[in-house]
Every structure is written in C-alpha cells, then in structure tokens.
Amino acid sequence: MQTKIKKLLFVLYALVIVCMAAATIVEKYQGSDFVGSHIYGAWWFTLLWALLAATAIVYFIKHRTRSWTGTALHISFVVILTGAFITHVSSERGMIHLRQGLTTNRYTVFDRHMNPHDATLPFSIRLDRFDVQYHAGTDAAQDYVSHFTLTDNGQKTQGKVSMNNIFSYGPMRIYQASYDSDGMGATLSTNSDPIGIPVTYTGYALLFVALIGMLIDPRGAYRQLLRHPVFKKGALFLTLLFATAPASTLWAAGTTDNVKAHYLPEATAEQFGRLNILYNSRICPVQTVAIDFTKKLYGARSYKGLTAEQVLTGWIFWGEEWMNEPLLKIKDGEMKSTLQLPDYVSANNFFNNDMGGYTIGPYIKEYYEGNHDKFHTQVASVDDKIQLLMDLRRGLLLKIFPNTVKGNTIWYAPTENLPKTINAEHQRFIQTIFTLLYDEAEAENYKQMDEMIGKIQKYQVKNAGTSLPTAKQTEAERTYNRIPFATILFMVCLTMGVLTFFYTIVRLCRECQLEQNLDTRAGQQSLLDTVVTASSRIIMLATLAALTYCEYLRWTISGTLPMSNGYETMLFVAWIVLVVALIFSLRFHILLTCGFLMSGFFLLVSHISQMDPQITHIMPVLNSPLLSIHVSIIMIGFALLSLPLINGITAIIVRIINRNASTITLGLQQLSLLFLYPAMAALGIGIFVGAIWANVSWGEYWGWDPKEVWALITFMIYAAALHPKTLPALRRPMVFHIFMIVAFLTIIMTYFGVNYVLGGMHSYA
C-alpha cells in the first residue's frame, strides 16, 4: 500500500512541475491572462495541488517521520497551500480610479477568473494630490505618491500611499498602482483578504523556522551528515595552479599614429571627462558617457591608443573628420556578409555623397514596417549607432548645463532652446562656450581650453543645486570606470579553474590508484601540493578583495545595494561563491577549483551577455529593504547550488577514468549534500521573502510570474535530492551526481531562460 502511495505521490509531484513549466511556455505565446484563467486559475490545477497535498499527508503519516524540523517543514507547505486556496476563493481585489478633487465611492472588482465588474466601496474617497518625486536634476522617478481623503459615515481620514507603502482601512489595503498621463489622476489597487493572508503568513513563519531548524537540529539529517567519516577524515583533497591572462588583452591595442582625425591631448580630454552630465536619467561624469560611447561603437574601452574621453571629444570638436574613422564595429552575421562589410567601417560608409542618400535607409524602413529577420535586426543595430553619432554632433547628448529654480534642477544641452527662467548672462554662457571651445581646439590652444572647461565646472557647482553627486561618489565612479573588474576577474578565475580542474582529475586518479595498491603514500600531501594550495588561497583572496572593492564602488555610486539588475546579481553570486569556497576550502580543498570555475562562469556571463552593466537609479517599486533581503538570500542559494554541479562533473570524469573510484565519488556526494541543505534553506526563505515583499508592494504575494514559477520548480526538483528514503536511487553516488548536473539546468532556466526567452515581470537582467 505504501509503495502505491509513493508512486502516486511521485506522479503527482512530477505532473505539477511539468504543468507549471509548460504554463510558462504557453504564457509566452498566449499571454498572462490566458494562462491565468486556463491554467493557474483553473479548477483542475487547484485540484492537482490538493491531490498532491493530500497524498503527501497520507504518505507522511505512514512514513512516521520523527524529526520535528521535517514535520514542521511539510506542515508549513500544507498551511501555505491552504492560505493560497482561501485567498483564491475569498479574497477581493479591485481598482479605484481617482481624479484630483473628485470624490467617488465606486471601484472595479475582479472575480476569481479576473473578470471585472463595478462595485460600491464601503467609504468614499477623494484624491487631493498626486506627486511624482524625481531624483534631483533628472527625469528618473524616485517615488509615486497619492494623497487622499477617505470619508466613512461622515468621519474623514487623511491617507497617503506610495510604492512599497500601503494604507490599511479595516480589512482593505490600498496600494499605489498607476497614474494618469496628465498627473491629475491616479489608480489605486485594493486587496481584502482578512483570512487568507494570516493563514499564509503563518505558513511562511513555520517554513522559515523549519528551514533554519533543519540546519541546527542535532538529530536532523544535516547534523548527521556533518558527522560523516568523510568530513572527519578530510579525505577530499585538491590544489590549484596559478595562472593569469595577459593584461594586454583587456584593452584595445593600437597606436595613435593610425588615427587620421584630430583629437585632444589626453590631459585636456581627461579634464573634460570630469564634467558632470545628465545621462541615463542620472548625473555622472562625462567619462562614463565616453566609455559607454566608445564601447558601443568600437566594442572596446579605447580606440587605437586613444582614451574614451579623447574619442568622445574628437567627435564633438572634429565630427566631420571622425565620420571617416573606421570606428563602427560590424558583428559577424547576415548584414556583414550581404553588404560585404569589413570588421570596422566608418560612419560615412553608410552615406552615399554622390546620390545624397542613407544607404541602409530602405532597410531601416522595412525593419520598422515589421521585417525583423537577422539581416534587418543587425541593420537596425548599426542604425542605432549612427543615430547616436548624429545626436552627439547636434549636441543633444551634452546635457551639462544645470539650472535650478525653486529647488528644481533641469540640465540643458548647449543647442537646446533655453527657457526664460535662465537669466541672460547664463544663457549667453551656455550658447557661446562651445563655440569658443571649438575655436581654441582648432587653434590647438589647449591651455585656454582647460581654463574654459574649468569655468564650466564652476558653473555646474553654482547652478546644479543638490543634483550633483558627492565628491566621494564622483571619485568612486572614476575609479570604477578605470578598472574593468568583470573582464579581469573572469579571465583570472576561468584560467585558474580550467587548469586546476585538469590537475584535480590527475590528482584524484593518482590518489585512487595509490589507495587500490594499499600504498602508504595515499592521502598524503606533498610539499608541492602544500605550496600551490596556499598560493591558490592567496590568489582567491585577492580576487575576492577586488570583487568586493568593485561592489563597494557600485554601492557608493548608486547609493543602493548593487543587487537591482541582472548584471549586479551575477557579480553578487560570484562574490558569494568565492566567500563560500575560501571558507570551506580550509577543510575541503576541492572547493578552490569549484569556487574559481563557478565564479569565473558568473563573471563571464556578466561580461559577454546582454546584461547592462550601467549604473542607474533603482525603480520605485524596487526601492524596498525586502528587495535586498529577497535577492541576496536567493543568490546565496543559487551560488551554493552551483558547487554540486562541479562536484558532479568531477566525479563523472574520475569514474570514467577509473571505474574503481568509489571512495572519491562518495566523498564528492557527501560534499555536495553539505551545500545542498543550506542552499535549499536559502532558496526557500528567499522565495517566500519575495512573496511577502510582493504582498506589501502590490497586494499579491504570488502572481505566477515565469521567474516565480521556475524558482519554485528549482526548489521542488532539488528538494527531491533531500529525500533519499523516498527515492533510494539517489543514495547511489553516480545517480546523485547526474541528478545534480541535470537539476542545475533549472537554475539556468530560472535566471537566463526567463530573462531572455520567456520574459515576464522579473525579466530585468
């Protein structure tokens, strides 16, 4: 009977996972509303979860688990599912649209199938004022705030809602949802779930206690694992070899003799790069713009020996000459082969002076008419670069002149139409200073140019109000701009990781052979091993210090924890991997290789993928302490789960080379379990802290977003490895290692598949 229940439980468990995975794919093509009503909100999906919970309860009772943490953990899931069901059938969600000065008691309510209908509020509400608060001197929203008056039985209550700050009135909670384009109206969302939320939060609390208890319970499986003979003897041993990549590959090589266009001396260009500018909705040094500009056009931080500031100022002051420089990098693909273009071309290559036409213009028209094949997409990418050049030549990008009126700062470009609020003297300065700079540049009076740039700096300090970054932030950004941290560190980590991985295979196979021959040298550490192990730790410590400094600089520049986008989370995961590897490598040397390989992988992804490394202001909805907790804990979980992947690959290769390497594969299995337990605790806590944050921010703790779904799938699949009594096959080391390798694909899907394929609310990388 128990065997039949176990089989049914396994089938239902797998079916739930398959249905959720399929739903995320269907959502990409049919939309969120479709899967919301036909899958997630369908009766059969609710019944499937109910059957899974009921079967699990029966199996759990018959299994007679004695661990209090295991009991509490499984009960917590039942409580969470119960709360979710109560919310599904009894909660009431709605939307209130308000116009400033008008009172209403009507709102739109959505039923379980998200069908809207009008209803009457238990009170009346009037919007007094709606404000969009901006970061000083920019058009980047810092917060959205609605001020209103709520009237109930003649009693008035003043209320205010903003992102991550709700207003509660009785059982109803009110959230900031959106606003009208004219700024005179706002839409507030409501949620009334007086029973479901307390039940669900009780389940969350029990889950958190159980997950932490799982790691500290003296009678629990994790503490028993720590008493395993493998860990007592320290049987696993590995070393690293030092290797580093030539620094010359990090910057574009070349000599300025190959540059035909004029350019400023490095010192003058560097001073111009110290000016502040409004760029990407924040105030930053011109140096930042110059680096982004050069990388976007040329694919490197410099051009033929010229700094990024020299390239940018060259385009500003000698634009016609630079139009002939082969600066535009053409990627391999349909466009390059069809138009027979070299690797680098000039902007003028796309202008036919004889016929007076833009040669790729017809293709751009076809692109915007809907032809998005590879050829037209690549043409559109080149067109973006050329439009960037045109905007720079017209001066539209150079928003370096601030003006502050009544505490409100706006930054202007020298070619813009200036408002009358700017006094005549300042207008003359803005409109003439670049003409004077052009003249001095042509005359090569660079000392005079330096003095004029100094005047612009003084103008910025005097007229920028509170919008200028602090001196500490500016210096941090200039330091960050000078050092390509991700590029250097991924090359060092991967080079060391690859070399030491092969060294590991040889070392483990040799150890295994010695053990089989009963050689007394088996397990002994040679002097060479001692030296390279110590050297490797020093190198890893230096890598960690450099990455920590990089994170500190980004934190200083933005003023928020650097975990708000895909690029920053990749850096954080790499950081966590290095920390864990360094600490535990004192006992298990194999983690040095694991740490270098996985941190190198994450840094490589941040370096070469579509992730945007630019520092921007955080979105208002993300401006919550719970975000940092949610992201950091989940990233810790992902980082820990990456280590069993390397152990699994190592075990399989060693087993292929030596069929009798059972001791090694068993040891690697136990080491993987050592990280699997805390990884699951971190992943579980991180997921449900995110649910609490979502409920606080917009009144819905679980929205079945693709990334939420795949995070849950990842949690459920890895959880199977913690049930060896239920799945005895996973007790066998090689089966376990193969499972760990396959399971890691869910992390790839959760992070990269959602971001770049499925999309959704969380696809922000």
Side-chain angles (χ1 to χ4, degrees), residues 417-636:
N417 292 324
L418 304 177
K420 295 181 180 179
T421 53
I422 302 179
N423 66 52
E425 181 182 353
H426 288 175
Q427 288 201 28
R428 284 194 299 272
F429 179 80
I430 295 172
Q431 293 169 344
T432 61
I433 190 65
F434 264 85
T435 300
L436 297 175
L437 284 170
Y438 289 136
D439 293 340
E440 300 301 341
E442 287 291 339
E444 299 184 359
N445 293 330
Y446 302 124
K447 183 177 180 180
Q448 192 69 20
M449 286 191 74
D450 293 342
E451 294 178 1
M452 291 182 182
I453 294 171
K455 291 180 180 179
I456 298 177
Q457 290 174 324
K458 292 179 180 179
Y459 176 91
Q460 289 184 339
V461 172
K462 182 179 179 181
N463 296 280
T466 60
S467 65
L468 286 180
T470 65
K472 182 179 181 181
Q473 288 176 311
T474 299
E475 191 56 37
E477 185 154 2
R478 290 187 59 80
T479 301
Y480 178 81
N481 287 339
R482 285 195 297 268
I483 307 173
F485 287 96
T487 306
I488 297 173
L489 296 181
F490 98 72
M491 295 176 72
V492 171
C493 288
L494 282 187
T495 302
M496 296 177 67
V498 170
L499 291 177
T500 56
F501 180 74
F502 287 111
Y503 180 86
T504 301
I505 302 302
V506 174
R507 181 72 174 90
L508 292 178
C509 289
R510 188 171 71 240
E511 288 285 331
C512 186
Q513 187 66 39
L514 290 173
E515 287 180 2
Q516 293 173 21
N517 296 333
L518 300 178
D519 197 308
T520 58
R521 293 173 296 172
Q524 293 182 359
Q525 188 172 5
S526 69
L527 177 61
L528 176 61
D529 293 336
T530 302
V531 172
V532 296
T533 299
S535 301
S536 299
R537 287 204 184 95
I538 293 173
I539 297 164
M540 183 173 282
L541 183 61
T543 302
L544 176 62
L547 188 54
T548 302
Y549 186 50
C550 171
E551 294 280 64
Y552 164 77
L553 292 175
R554 289 187 70 98
W555 190 351
T556 301
I557 296 164
S558 66
T560 58
L561 285 173
M563 288 185 291
S564 59
N565 57 46
Y567 181 83
E568 291 180 341
T569 53
M570 281 292 96
L571 295 185
F572 183 70
V573 173
W575 187 86
I576 289 295
V577 168
L578 289 173
V579 170
V580 172
L582 266 176
I583 294 174
F584 287 91
S585 68
L586 296 174
R587 186 67 178 270
F588 309 106
H589 300 157
I590 192 172
L591 292 179
L592 289 170
T593 287
C594 293
F596 273 115
L597 281 174
M598 292 314 301
S599 62
F601 166 75
F602 292 124
L603 290 168
L604 174 64
V605 168
S606 71
H607 175 77
I608 67 174
S609 73
Q610 301 176 43
M611 295 180 181
D612 189 353
Q614 294 183 12
I615 299 173
T616 59
H617 289 298
I618 194 170
M619 296 170 58
V621 71
L622 302 180
N623 191 16
S624 168
L626 289 175
L627 168 69
S628 300
I629 298 173
H630 164 61
V631 174
S632 60
I633 294 178
I634 282 188
M635 290 301 108
I636 289 172

Side-chain angles (χ1 to χ4, degrees), residues 330-340 374-375 378:
I330 306 298
K331 296 181 179 180
D332 292 334
E334 297 292 329
M335 177 185 176
K336 184 177 181 180
S337 59
T338 301
L339 301 183
Q340 297 183 341
K374 292 182 178 180
F375 172 79
Q378 291 168 357

Side-chain angles (χ1 to χ4, degrees), residues 127-140:
L127 179 65
D128 299 322
R129 187 177 78 257
F130 173 78
D131 296 326
V132 180
Q133 299 175 354
Y134 296 96
H135 291 277
T138 76
D139 58 356

Side-chain angles (χ1 to χ4, degrees), residues 231-437:
F231 300 136
K232 289 184 178 181
K233 296 180 180 179
L236 301 179
F237 177 76
L238 183 63
T239 60
L240 278 158
L241 297 176
F242 174 74
T244 183
S248 60
T249 62
L250 303 179
W251 291 271
T255 170
T256 57
D257 293 339
N258 297 324
V259 181
K260 298 179 180 179
H262 284 84
Y263 51 87
L264 292 178
E266 184 173 348
T268 301
E270 190 268 344
Q271 185 175 350
F272 189 88
R274 288 183 175 273
L275 294 174
N276 287 287
I277 188 172
L278 174 60
Y279 176 65
N280 276 352
S281 297
R282 74 182 185 94
I283 310 302
C284 63
V286 170
Q287 180 195 53
T288 299
V289 181
I291 292 174
D292 288 348
F293 176 83
T294 307
K295 287 175 65 177
K296 183 170 185 177
L297 298 180
Y298 190 62
R301 297 167 59 90
S302 61
Y303 172 69
K304 296 183 178 180
L306 297 181
T307 66
E309 293 100 316
Q310 287 177 298
V311 174
L312 181 70
T313 53
W315 275 97
I316 292 173
F317 299 113
W318 295 281
E320 284 295 333
E321 296 181 17
W322 278 84
M323 287 289 289
N324 293 312
E325 281 292 325
L327 186 69
L328 302 184
K329 182 177 181 179
I330 306 298
K331 296 181 179 180
D332 292 334
E334 297 292 329
M335 177 185 176
K336 184 177 181 180
S337 59
T338 301
L339 301 183
Q340 297 183 341
L341 298 173
D343 293 338
Y344 297 92
V345 300
S346 68
N348 273 338
N349 188 84
F350 299 101
F351 293 91
N352 190 325
N353 294 327
D354 295 334
M355 300 179 64
Y358 184 36
T359 58
I360 60 175
Y363 306 126
I364 297 300
K365 182 180 179 182
E366 292 171 0
Y367 175 83
Y368 287 109
E369 289 176 349
N371 192 340
H372 291 172
D373 60 16
K374 292 182 178 180
F375 172 79
H376 287 84
T377 300
Q378 291 168 357
V379 170
S381 176
V382 173
D383 179 68
D384 286 341
K385 297 179 181 180
I386 293 175
Q387 294 306 316
L388 176 66
L389 295 176
M390 297 300 104
D391 287 344
L392 178 63
R393 294 195 61 189
R394 289 195 295 265
L396 300 180
L397 298 183
L398 300 176
K399 292 182 178 293
I400 62 176
F401 298 102
N403 182 61
T404 302
V405 178
K406 296 181 180 180
N408 183 38
T409 304
I410 300 177
W411 289 67
Y412 297 96
T415 55
E416 285 188 82
N417 292 324
L418 304 177
K420 295 181 180 179
T421 53
I422 302 179
N423 66 52
E425 181 182 353
H426 288 175
Q427 288 201 28
R428 284 194 299 272
F429 179 80
I430 295 172
Q431 293 169 344
T432 61
I433 190 65
F434 264 85
T435 300
L436 297 175
L437 284 170

Side-chain angles (χ1 to χ4, degrees), residues 41-192:
W43 64 267
W44 62 266
F45 189 70
T46 302
L47 178 62
L48 185 60
W49 276 102
L51 290 174
L52 175 61
T55 307
I57 291 172
V58 173
Y59 180 79
F60 188 78
I61 293 174
K62 289 184 174 294
H63 196 63
R64 297 180 181 179
T65 299
R66 298 180 179 179
S67 169
W68 72 267
T69 56
T71 302
L73 183 61
H74 290 82
I75 290 176
S76 72
F77 291 123
V78 176
V79 175
I80 290 172
L81 288 174
T82 302
F85 178 75
I86 294 173
T87 296
H88 180 64
V89 299
S90 68
S91 67
E92 185 177 85
R93 300 181 61 205
M95 303 290 288
I96 310 172
H97 180 249
L98 300 173
R99 292 292 294 177
Q100 186 168 315
L102 299 181
T103 301
T104 185
N105 65 347
R106 305 293 294 174
Y107 75 135
T108 302
V109 176
F110 300 91
D111 61 21
R112 284 185 295 167
H113 303 289
M114 297 306 294
N115 296 316
H117 60 87
D118 291 336
T120 302
L121 286 164
F123 49 79
S124 61
I125 185 171
R126 182 188 72 232
L127 179 65
D128 299 322
R129 187 177 78 257
F130 173 78
D131 296 326
V132 180
Q133 299 175 354
Y134 296 96
H135 291 277
T138 76
D139 58 356
Q142 186 174 26
D143 207 352
Y144 307 107
V145 186
S146 292
H147 303 265
F148 55 84
T149 300
L150 187 149
T151 304
D152 188 4
N153 292 324
Q155 184 175 356
K156 296 182 181 297
T157 302
Q158 300 297 317
K160 181 180 77 171
V161 292
S162 61
M163 304 309 297
N164 296 299
N165 292 285
I166 68 175
F167 179 84
S168 298
Y169 189 80
M172 182 176 287
R173 296 178 300 162
I174 303 175
Y175 305 79
Q176 177 65 48
S178 62
Y179 63 96
D180 296 350
S181 58
D182 62 0
M184 300 298 290
T187 299
L188 310 181
S189 62
T190 66
N191 188 343
S192 181

